[in-house]
């Protein structure tokens, strides 16, 4: 059964693992230089970083983010559906191998391959990006094109969450495949469903996976970065590695308020800040501190793996009950 | 003799339609069984139930003494060549043999290789490039080399031309003779079955109309031709399968174990095809009570 699974899977496996290997090679070649540069320059890293490094940074991030979606679509969705479409499941199910073993072998081998591909890519990218992530978190100047690793844009391309994503996307593909019973629509449905779950997770679930910090900050400690017409949109409160969930400007009595009229004619940012402070205004910030990164990683990975297990159970039940 | 396939009050319902119902069968081992009936009669349903691809809605089915597809041991006993003889299009003929070898502990490699050689199949060719007949032969090879006690074939020759049909059947019969397994095969053509099977099951409108040994069926069915009269006046023990009348003459197709001595009837023997067609075309009411039929023929 292992032989059959491998025989049917080897082409797709080769393509994805080749891509991961190429990425790993690219990172292995460029990574040491970046690490040396960081060791030499410290937080001035961003002044010396090359545009090539920036390209590699985003390329690696994109690949790690894409692997779960790609394996879910191209490994998960066709895994059982292709057999249903071609009728070959009737050949496979009449050998001396029970359906349970057939399904378990296919799901285990392909699922583990998916998770391993995501793990390898994420490991390589996390290692390569280490200096940049550290420089961002310690407030290196000129970090504009880079985001802290806890930020939603980068979070899914670091650490262990890609493994959870990959496991979930894979079994999601398998499940939608056996429900839809046609490969191409199942692939499209997998992509749509996976993207929906990822967005929902980032917007509504992840902020609550670790305890966030609520802080009322005077404008002396939170420097306005972006002031809108009636509110301070963004402040720098000395935690460049944090993920800001929400922030709003409140008046002296702690109520959300529009900015005082006197602010419209302050000539410069320090003047504005001084005016706001005099009026007793504060910025209310809710954020996930940088230190919560690994708590969020482990919790979210666990959540995705649990979802994957639940889908596996459903998939096995469906194949045993509904396809007969 | 032990039964290779035993069904009791077996029925299968899809959504709201019964594909098979009130099916009672007891097929002895060591036979080549033909399952005939028009398209949509429930042949595939019965065979899929026997191979465990489907589970019954009501009743029970037992194959080689066990529940279909329950555990590896049971799977080893039954070979199933599904309709349209599915094979993996991207795998070569050699890969298919490898597949059979690795997935079946009782696999007979010599038989498989010998058959492939005799059929003239190229081991390196992909199954997707084979003709319908070659693919059917490849699927049959997988079924035979698995060395099952019972080989079930669902419309194995449906996609083949008449010559390939004949070759396939001949080849199947040789393999059966060589390995001594029981076979159940379905076809919507009586001629496929007539040449090869020694036991026949006629399935019409999701019910078993008649099942029995071919020789017994042929021996107990006669065509009676004589002056016009009401079929109801026949003596007891004669079941009229079909009747047709002209102004002066009555032709009956009857099943009876008692010799017909009435000199007013001209008795002519019937071929299997005539008998099967009579059962297929006559109205269902005539067989409301199918049990006695099976009792007599068992």
């Amino acid at each position: 059964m292992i032989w059959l699974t491998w025989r049917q899977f080897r082409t797709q496996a080769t393509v994805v693992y080749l891509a991961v290997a190429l990425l790993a090679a690219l990172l292995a070649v460029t990574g040491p230089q970046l690490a040396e540069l960081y060791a030499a320059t410290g937080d001035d890293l961003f002044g010396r970083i090359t545009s090539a490094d920036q390209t590699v940074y985003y390329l690696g991030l994109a690949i790690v983010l894409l692997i779960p979606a790609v394996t879910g679509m191209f490994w998960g969705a066709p895994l059982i559906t292709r057999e249903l479409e071609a009728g070959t499941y009737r050949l496979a199910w009449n050998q001396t191998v029970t359906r349970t073993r057939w399904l378990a072998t296919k799901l285990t081998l392909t699922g583990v391959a998916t998770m391993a591909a995501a793990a390898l890519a994420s490991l390589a990218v996390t290692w390569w990006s280490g200096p940049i992530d550290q420089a961002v978190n310690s407030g290196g100047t000129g970090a504009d094109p880079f985001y802290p690793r806890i930020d939603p844009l980068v979070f899914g391309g670091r650490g262990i969450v890609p493994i959870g994503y990959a496991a979930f996307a894979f079994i999601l593909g398998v499940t939608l495949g056996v429900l839809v019973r046609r490969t191409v629509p199942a692939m499209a449905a997998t992509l749509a469903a996976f993207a929906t779950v990822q967005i929902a997770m980032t917007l509504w679930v992840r902020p609550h996976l670790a305890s966030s910090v609520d802080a009322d900050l005077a404008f002396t400690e939170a420097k306005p970065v972006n002031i809108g017409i009636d509110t301070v949109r963004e402040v720098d409160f000395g935690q460049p590695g944090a993920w800001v969930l929400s922030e709003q400007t409140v008046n002296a009595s702690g109520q959300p308020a529009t900015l005082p009229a006197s602010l419209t004619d302050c000539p410069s940012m320090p003047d504005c800040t001084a005016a706001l402070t005099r009026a007793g205004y504060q910025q209310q910030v809710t954020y996930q501190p940088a230190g919560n990164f690994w708590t969020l990683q482990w919790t979210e990975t666990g959540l995705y793996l649990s979802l994957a297990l639940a889908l596996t159970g459903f998939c096995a039940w469906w194949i045993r009950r509904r396809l007969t | 003799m032990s039964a290779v396939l035993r069904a009791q009050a077996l029925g299968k319902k899809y959504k709201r339609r019964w594909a098979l119902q009130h099916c009672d069968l007891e097929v002895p081992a060591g036979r080549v069984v033909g399952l005939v009936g028009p398209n949509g009669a429930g042949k595939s349903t019965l065979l899929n139930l026997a191979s465990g691809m489907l589970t019954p809605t009501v009743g029970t089915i037992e194959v080689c003494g066990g529940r279909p597809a329950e555990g590896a041991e049971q799977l080893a006993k039954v070979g199933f060549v599904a309709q349209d003889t599915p094979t993996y299009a991207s795998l070569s003929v050699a890969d298919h043999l490898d597949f059979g070898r690795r997935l079946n502990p009782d696999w007979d490699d010599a038989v498989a290789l010998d058959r492939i050689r005799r059929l003239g199949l190229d081991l390196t060719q992909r199954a997707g490039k084979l003709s319908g007949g070659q693919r059917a032969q490849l699927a049959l090879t997988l079924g035979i080399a698995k060395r099952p006690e019972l080989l079930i074939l669902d419309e194995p020759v449906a996609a083949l031309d008449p010559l390939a049909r004949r070759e396939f059947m001949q080849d199947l019969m040789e393999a059966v003779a060589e390995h001594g397994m029981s076979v159940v095969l379905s076809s919507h053509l009586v001629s496929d079955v007539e040449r090869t099977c020694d036991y026949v099951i006629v399935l019409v409108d999701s019910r078993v109309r008649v099942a029995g040994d071919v020789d017994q069926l042929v021996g107990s069915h006669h065509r009676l031709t004589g002056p016009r009269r009401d079929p109801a006046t026949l003596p007891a023990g004669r079941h009229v399968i079909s009747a047709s009348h002209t102004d002066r003459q009555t032709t009956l197709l009857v099943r009876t174990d008692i010799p017909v001595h009435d000199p007013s009837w001209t008795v002519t023997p019937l071929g299997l095809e005539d008998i099967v067609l009579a059962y297929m075309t006559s109205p269902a009411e005539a067989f409301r009570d199918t049990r006695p039929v099976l009792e007599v023929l068992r």
Side-chain angles (χ1 to χ4, degrees), chain A residues 322, chain B residues 11-21 57 205-206:
Chain A
R322 298 309 298 269
Chain B
K12 176 73 188 176
K13 197 178 186 181
Y14 296 117
K15 301 232 166 81
R16 292 168 67 189
R17 193 180 67 83
W18 283 95
L20 187 73
Q21 51 185 341
T57 312
D205 277 345
S206 78

Side-chain angles (χ1 to χ4, degrees), chain A residues 220-239:
Chain A
T220 43
E221 47 185 338
K223 298 185 194 74
V225 177
N226 181 352
I227 298 183
I229 294 170
D230 49 13
T231 183
V232 177
R233 293 223 181 93
E234 200 185 334
V235 290
D236 173 7
F237 57 107
Q239 295 209 27

